[in-house]
Amino acid sequence: MQGIRTKPEQREGDDVSSAFAAETPLGSARWSPEAEIGMRVEDIWDSLGQPQLSQSDKLNSCFDAIPVSSFPQTFGSQLVDIPSDATLAEAVDILSRNRINGAPVRNMEAPEDSSWIDRYIGIVEFAGIAVWLLHQSEASAAALGADELAAKLGTVTLDGPAVSTGSAKEHKTGPLTEAEGAVAEAFGSLPSSELFRKTKVKDISGSFRWAPFLALQSSDTFLTMLLLLSKYRMKSLPVVDIGEGTISNIITQAAVVHMLSECVGLSWFEDWGTKTLSELGLPMMKTSRLVKVREDESALKAFRHMRKRGVGGVPVVDGTDKPVGSIMIKDVKHLLTASESNRDYRMLTAKEFIANARQSSGEKQMSIITCTREDTVKDIILRLDTEKRQRIYVVDGEGNLDGLITLRDIIAKLVYEPPGYFGDFFNGVIPMPQNSRV
């Protein structure tokens, strides 16, 4: 196995969504490309006539024998990419129109015959744009004085209900502190600002995690891919060939979970998938570490939590601490694409934000899905894939939050990293700096 060496100039985000093949209905003939992968695993599984091998060892052996070139195509006839000289506003429009969370950034200064390492400067995503805007709005808010804030907001809320100052249009708010109000105002004004409409995608390359991105060669194996998507926290992996200028595939955590859903009924999958969450050691995150917001707190607070804690979503809970909804970092698109008449999105409570997003865009994924520790991992995979979700929340017998399971957690329980497996794979890859805003 040989890793891809990358240049040390920029860093890349790690979340790209793409279209996936239609799901094969359960019980139908297995003809989907994902099911064919499952049957290849089955053949290798059956050929491993070594009773001393554990289930984990057998799964590792199976996935280490299949090249990533076999993984089904996750995008259509043409990869959506974004020109490096596009503005942030144009990038948001491209992502929204194509219903994707991120896309590779094409270096417009690179020659036509460039290899992929020169052709792309990274991956831009809603999350990266949101983090950059939040950073800018927090910096702007810090420079505002209390009087200027009151004049801008028309409302100053400390510990009680919102009080109108009469100096500007009264906003509908939850219990915002003065500092939170400043951030809300600054953040809300950015999408219509010259900064948002003139800043180029290449200008926020500091929000890219890798340079230009961590990629797989077609000859790398499924085991390498699964480990990078789980233990090494990559949410997407472009597949390239040395010397070529194009990306042949982008493999995401969601695409892997979809592949697993197509393997239901195969013996290797059933041996693993019929285990309960508790038997597999899930959830891995302690409930005390779970970041959440109350439904009467501002939606912007949810995004600020995500930025500061480096998480992709937070549950919304009611007054009894029971989950009633979910806000993901990708939902920032509702703030960035809202019309001027709906710019008060930034002042809504979490509950109001979810209701408005559902009404304006038909957004269904803000409703929360839950499970218990006694559900099987197969049940969870099928539900996540059917509803196209990134996470599911674990609840106890009384409906209280008892943990979180993400796509990465599921993949992490499928394989393990053998000692010294990656060797020099990461040589030349520059890790995310400690002061990175992502």
Side-chain angles (χ1 to χ4, degrees):
M1 177 188 65
Q2 182 181 357
I4 301 294
R5 296 178 180 271
T6 59
K7 300 183 299 181
E9 285 87 357
Q10 288 90 23
R11 307 184 187 284
E12 177 242 276
D14 59 2
D15 186 13
V16 176
S17 294
S18 53
F20 306 120
E23 181 184 359
T24 301
L26 294 177
S28 65
R30 293 188 176 277
W31 52 266
S32 73
E34 292 83 4
E36 288 181 12
I37 295 294
M39 288 186 281
R40 287 183 65 177
V41 175
E42 183 92 333
D43 290 339
I44 301 169
W45 178 275
D46 291 341
S47 69
L48 295 173
Q50 303 177 49
Q52 73 275 17
L53 289 179
S54 67
Q55 181 187 72
S56 297
D57 290 335
K58 292 178 73 174
L59 285 172
N60 263 33
S61 296
C62 291
F63 289 118
D64 203 29
I66 303 175
V68 296
S69 58
S70 303
F71 200 90
Q73 190 82 21
T74 61
F75 55 82
S77 59
Q78 186 174 358
L79 174 71
V80 175
D81 59 21
I82 294 176
S84 59
D85 58 1
T87 66
L88 295 185
E90 290 168 340
V92 167
D93 179 64
I94 292 171
L95 296 176
S96 299
R97 282 190 288 104
N98 288 279
R99 302 180 66 84
I100 55 178
N101 290 332
V105 179
R106 187 173 73 257
N107 184 1
M108 299 306 292
E109 298 176 1
E112 283 297 318
D113 58 352
S114 298
S115 66
W116 68 271
I117 205 168
D118 294 312
R119 184 181 295 269
Y120 297 100
I121 66 171
I123 291 177
V124 69
E125 54 189 29
F126 274 124
I129 295 173
V131 165
W132 187 84
L133 286 173
L134 281 168
H135 177 81
Q136 298 297 319
S137 59
E138 287 170 355
S140 297
L144 283 176
D147 292 340
E148 185 177 358
L149 167 63
K152 279 180 171 288
L153 283 177
T155 304
V156 176
T157 309
L158 298 175
D159 296 322
V163 179
S164 174
T165 66
S167 56
K169 179 182 177 181
E170 183 173 355
H171 293 280
K172 186 176 184 181
T173 71
L176 294 179
T177 65
E178 188 172 305
E180 289 172 335
V183 174
E185 173 64 22
F187 183 83
S189 64
L190 278 173
S192 59
S193 69
E194 288 293 297
L195 186 66
F196 182 61
R197 299 192 178 280
K198 290 189 176 180
T199 299
K200 307 293 186 184
V201 171
K202 62 184 178 183
D203 296 332
I204 67 164
S205 58
S207 68
F208 301 161
R209 187 174 180 185
W210 304 96
F213 40 64
L214 188 63
L216 292 169
Q217 293 184 56
S218 298
S219 57
D220 282 326
T221 70
F222 269 50
L223 180 57
T224 300
M225 174 259 290
L226 294 171
L227 289 171
L228 291 174
L229 290 173
S230 56
K231 181 177 179 179
Y232 292 92
R233 298 177 177 272
M234 302 302 295
K235 293 187 177 180
S236 63
L237 290 167
V239 180
V240 301
D241 289 303
I242 294 294
E244 296 296 322
T246 58
I247 296 171
S248 60
N249 204 356
I250 295 181
I251 302 175
T252 65
Q253 293 175 348
V256 169
V257 169
H258 176 66
M259 179 199 76
L260 293 174
S261 74
E262 292 287 277
C263 297
V264 170
L266 296 173
S267 60
W268 69 267
F269 178 85
E270 295 295 326
D271 284 353
W272 173 75
T274 52
K275 288 182 169 60
T276 65
L277 300 182
S278 295
E279 289 174 328
L280 284 177
L282 292 171
M284 295 190 287
M285 178 182 288
K286 295 181 180 179
T287 309
S288 59
R289 295 184 56 201
L290 200 59
V291 183
K292 56 191 175 185
V293 295
R294 297 193 315 271
E295 61 182 354
D296 61 346
E297 292 182 303
S298 71
L300 186 61
K301 185 173 183 178
F303 292 110
R304 295 186 74 195
H305 273 321
M306 290 181 238
R307 162 174 139 67
K308 292 178 179 179
R309 298 291 292 271
V311 296
V314 295
V316 178
V317 298
D318 63 15
T320 64
D321 213 36
K322 289 182 171 53
V324 294
S326 177
I327 298 178
M328 301 287 289
I329 190 67
K330 67 181 179 63
D331 295 325
V332 76
K333 64 187 177 185
H334 297 297
L335 297 177
L336 299 180
T337 60
S339 64
E340 282 298 323
S341 61
N342 287 327
R343 195 63 74 192
D344 283 354
Y345 254 114
R346 67 188 183 273
M347 304 301 290
L348 298 179
T349 64
K351 181 178 180 179
E352 293 167 335
F353 175 78
I354 290 174
N356 281 29
R358 286 175 177 166
Q359 182 177 3
S360 64
S361 65
E363 181 67 68
K364 298 179 180 179
Q365 295 198 1
M366 288 183 177
S367 60
I368 204 162
I369 59 172
T370 62
C371 64
T372 71
R373 291 175 182 264
E374 299 312 306
D375 286 324
T376 67
V377 70
K378 177 172 73 172
D379 295 334
I380 303 307
I381 286 171
L382 290 174
R383 192 161 182 200
L384 287 170
D385 181 64
T386 299
E387 302 199 28
K388 298 294 180 274
R389 301 298 187 92
Q390 302 288 317
R391 52 180 53 201
I392 187 169
Y393 291 96
V394 184
V395 295
D396 61 20
E398 298 180 352
N400 298 312
L401 278 176
D402 193 28
L404 162 72
I405 296 172
T406 65
L407 301 181
R408 183 179 71 84
D409 295 335
I410 292 172
I411 300 170
K413 292 299 180 179
L414 185 64
V415 293
Y416 69 90
E417 181 180 353
Y421 178 78
F422 277 100
D424 64 354
F425 183 88
F426 295 102
N427 286 2
V429 175
I430 306 300
M432 182 168 57
Q434 291 184 353
N435 64 350
S436 171
R437 298 193 298 271
V438 176

